[in-house]
Amino acid sequence: MHEKYKTDIFSLKLKTFRGISLLIAREFFIKALATIGQIILVRFLAPEYFGIFAIITFIISFFELFTDISFNQAIIRKKDKPDYLALSTIFFVREILTILSVVILFIFASYIVSFFSSFSTNEVLMIRVFSLTLLLKPLRSIIISILERELRYDIIPRIDIIGVLVYYIAVIFFSINHFYAWSFIWAVFIKEVVESAVAFCYHPWFPRFSFRFSSIKDMIKYGSYLQLGTVISFIHKSIIPVIAGNRTSPYEVGLLDWSMNIASIPRSITDNYGRVSFAAFSRIQSNRRLLSMAIEKSFGIISVICIFFSLITLGFGRELIQYILTNKWLPALPALNWFIGSIIFIGGTASFGQALIAIGKTKEILIVSTIVVIAEWFLSYTFLSIWNFTGIAMASFIGSLALFVLYIFLGRKNGLSVNLKNTFIYKSVLFCLMILLITLINYLLHGSLLFLILKLILVSTAYLLFSYLLCRNEVIEIFILIKQTLKFIKK
């Protein structure tokens, strides 16, 4: 029995490692496409169009909240494989809720946009067209959940990459042809259609005309707290479109949203790491010691990656914007620095958060998240009056730090004894050494694109060397992931 347990754990570790590698490969392609696409878009579209799209996305996302009860996580976490009846029931519940949301959006769109003084009937039509994409999501989300439950991360990245490629081709085409903010709307519409079709081709699944509420009762009970957590997360993300959208202009919303999206590049790595970790953590949820070791390793690896991104942005953000984008985006730099600073904490937040969800502590996470979000809303509103839109980014930094500390406390309270002392010490030394080096390099080399490229090469090489000396185990793990990722890319 003991040997079988060790074999199962080893098999799970291999699947988890492979899943992480595949998602990193996915991120490589997606971020490469997104970076190229964004560089092109910022030259054709002004910041205010990005702001308009950010606000409309917020409105659609708000109504999307009412179309789900976190069924995706419930499907993944369920110990026994959900049967066809349960999956069909989930589909029809979600589709009915989605239809109701779309109808409400069509009826009340004109009243909703009145909250934003710069909006007109054009934005009303955008909302109505955008809302139709929600109808496609119930089927695709079930297919993706089935694939994630089976750790089929060889398929999921392909679906995502195809979707992103289609989106950027479409949005660039429409922007070149002067569709302005409509460029985003039509591009998203096309992307959703293509992704749903591709997901169905990879894993054909269609609901039966059957419905039994009792088959998903336990999943609803588990998912209800998760869904409330999703609502809290949405309220957190709505700070920019609501507070900035109401008290500033679409131009400033565009700058703020853009800086947050740039800072989310390393965050997407932790999201994908957490995405795989949740499925893996769910399989070892009863073994607190093993789970604690997994959190520590996960936190260490993510921290090495996030610190590198934060150093590059803090050290060379101004030059990167000037040379790669245009000076019209420079006002976003202070907000970008605050947003990028907050990613230092997300390694711990992602690792502890996914582990706590895996052991069923969704209620506790909901309470902690609610406290942090309320505090961040208050700080954002206050700081906006003092430091303009940069104040919202400052509030985000404080909120990220607070959530990190509270998750550690919550984890230890529930038996997750993770040793963070060594991680903090070595990562702090690494960060300070690199800041000193960047300061020196910036003093000696400046004034041209060639020098910027040289500085990036020097800092990247030095970071790799210092990381290996101070955090050898994490660097080795990262190189193993990179090796697996390259194998997938070659395929």
Side-chain angles (χ1 to χ4, degrees):
M1 184 70 179
H2 180 67
E3 289 299 321
K4 183 179 183 302
Y5 178 76
K6 288 175 67 177
T7 302
D8 290 342
I9 292 297
F10 181 72
S11 176
L12 178 62
K13 183 178 179 180
L14 287 178
K15 286 183 177 181
T16 304
F17 238 81
R18 185 166 184 267
I20 294 169
S21 299
L22 293 172
L23 286 183
I24 289 175
R26 163 191 176 275
E27 283 306 307
F28 171 81
F29 282 112
I30 287 177
K31 293 309 175 187
L33 291 170
T35 300
I36 296 169
Q38 287 290 327
I39 290 172
I40 296 172
L41 280 177
V42 297
R43 297 180 181 276
F44 285 101
L45 298 174
E48 52 261 39
Y49 297 121
F50 286 84
I52 290 170
F53 179 62
I55 294 171
I56 291 176
T57 301
F58 155 73
I59 294 170
I60 299 299
S61 299
F62 173 76
F63 281 88
E64 188 179 355
L65 285 174
F66 303 99
T67 67
D68 192 13
I69 314 175
S70 291
F71 283 124
N72 294 355
Q73 292 94 329
I75 291 171
I76 296 169
R77 183 181 182 271
K78 190 172 174 61
K79 292 182 179 180
D80 300 322
K81 185 177 180 180
D83 57 30
Y84 218 107
L85 177 60
L87 294 175
S88 296
T89 302
I90 290 171
F91 171 80
F92 286 114
V93 168
R94 284 208 59 183
E95 197 63 49
I96 290 169
L97 293 173
T98 301
I99 292 170
L100 288 174
S101 296
V102 171
V103 170
I104 293 170
L105 274 167
F106 262 74
I107 294 172
F108 294 101
S110 58
Y111 297 99
I112 294 169
V113 299
S114 63
F115 181 79
F116 306 97
S117 57
S118 59
F119 276 18
S120 63
T121 54
N122 189 47
E123 283 73 26
V124 172
L125 185 57
M126 286 183 187
I127 291 171
R128 288 172 176 165
V129 172
F130 202 157
S131 69
L132 296 175
T133 62
L134 297 179
L135 298 172
L136 300 169
K137 293 190 176 183
L139 179 63
R140 191 181 76 221
S141 67
I142 289 177
I143 294 174
I144 297 298
S145 297
I146 294 170
L147 293 172
E148 287 204 59
R149 176 182 171 80
E150 298 171 358
L151 296 175
R152 293 298 310 276
Y153 292 103
D154 54 330
I155 295 176
I156 295 171
R158 295 171 186 171
I159 298 171
D160 294 337
I161 290 169
I162 291 171
V164 172
L165 179 61
V166 168
Y167 170 77
Y168 275 104
I169 291 173
V171 74
I172 291 170
F173 170 80
F174 288 124
S175 64
I176 290 173
N177 287 279
H178 309 295
F179 278 71
Y180 304 110
W182 274 102
S183 303
F184 297 107
I185 305 300
W186 290 120
V188 171
F189 195 94
I190 294 170
K191 170 182 174 291
E192 292 295 336
V193 172
V194 171
E195 276 192 349
S196 298
V198 172
F200 186 81
C201 289
Y202 272 116
H203 189 85
W205 183 89
F206 202 76
R208 295 173 183 167
F209 291 99
S210 54
F211 185 94
R212 185 184 299 165
F213 188 77
S214 59
S215 65
I216 62 171
K217 188 176 180 181
D218 290 340
M219 297 171 75
I220 291 176
K221 183 179 179 181
Y222 169 78
S224 59
Y225 283 117
L226 275 181
Q227 185 60 18
L228 287 172
T230 303
V231 172
I232 296 300
S233 177
F234 175 81
I235 293 172
H236 173 236
K237 292 177 181 178
S238 67
I239 289 174
I240 291 176
V242 174
I243 296 180
N246 181 253
R247 298 186 61 196
T248 65
S249 67
Y251 170 76
E252 291 172 305
V253 173
L255 292 174
L256 193 58
D257 186 66
W258 174 82
S259 61
M260 186 185 69
N261 288 334
I262 293 298
S264 71
I265 292 176
R267 188 182 293 271
S268 64
I269 295 174
T270 66
D271 288 344
N272 282 297
Y273 202 104
R275 187 174 173 180
V276 182
S277 297
F278 172 66
F281 289 171
S282 295
R283 300 295 175 270
I284 57 173
Q285 57 185 278
S286 58
N287 190 328
R288 292 292 195 273
R289 181 175 173 274
L290 189 61
L291 191 55
S292 298
M293 291 171 62
I295 294 170
E296 185 176 348
K297 180 177 287 188
S298 174
F299 181 28
I301 292 172
I302 295 174
S303 296
V304 171
I305 297 170
C306 288
I307 289 173
F308 174 73
F309 278 100
S310 64
L311 287 168
I312 293 297
T313 306
L314 293 171
F316 310 114
R318 175 174 292 275
E319 292 173 278
L320 287 168
I321 292 174
Q322 287 176 325
Y323 289 120
I324 297 177
L325 304 178
T326 59
N327 286 336
K328 66 184 178 183
W329 294 94
L330 275 177
L333 183 59
L336 175 61
N337 287 335
W338 281 105
F339 278 130
I340 208 73
S342 67
I343 70 168
I344 294 173
F345 311 113
I346 61 175
T349 303
S351 302
F352 275 99
Q354 294 297 337
L356 289 166
I357 293 173
I359 63 177
K361 299 301 178 181
T362 52
K363 182 178 179 180
E364 289 84 349
I365 286 182
L366 175 64
I367 294 171
V368 167
S369 300
T370 302
I371 293 170
V372 172
V373 169
I374 291 172
E376 194 170 327
W377 265 78
F378 173 77
L379 290 175
S380 295
Y381 192 86
T382 305
F383 288 178
L384 182 65
S385 303
I386 304 171
W387 293 288
N388 201 2
F389 67 88
T390 302
I392 293 179
M394 295 168 67
S396 176
F397 177 86
I398 296 172
S400 297
L401 173 60
L403 190 63
F404 173 57
V405 173
L406 289 171
Y407 269 20
I408 293 174
F409 171 77
L410 191 58
R412 290 183 174 175
K413 184 180 177 182
N414 287 280
L416 300 175
S417 302
V418 181
N419 182 13
L420 299 176
K421 184 178 179 180
N422 290 335
T423 300
F424 277 123
I425 292 174
Y426 290 123
K427 299 302 186 302
S428 297
V429 172
L430 175 62
F431 185 82
C432 292
L433 283 173
M434 289 305 303
I435 287 292
L436 290 173
L437 178 62
I438 289 172
T439 302
L440 177 62
I441 290 176
N442 277 335
Y443 177 77
L444 296 174
L445 303 172
H446 55 84
S448 72
L449 178 60
L450 182 61
F451 279 149
L452 174 60
I453 295 171
L454 178 60
K455 286 190 289 187
L456 290 172
I457 294 172
L458 289 173
V459 168
S460 299
T461 304
Y463 187 77
L464 179 60
L465 176 62
F466 289 146
S467 297
Y468 185 77
L469 293 174
L470 295 169
C471 320
R472 182 171 301 180
N473 292 334
E474 286 94 336
V475 173
I476 291 172
E477 294 275 5
I478 291 171
F479 270 107
I480 293 173
L481 289 174
I482 293 172
K483 185 179 178 180
Q484 295 294 326
T485 300
L486 291 174
K487 285 183 179 179
F488 174 74
I489 293 173
K490 289 178 181 178
K491 292 180 182 179

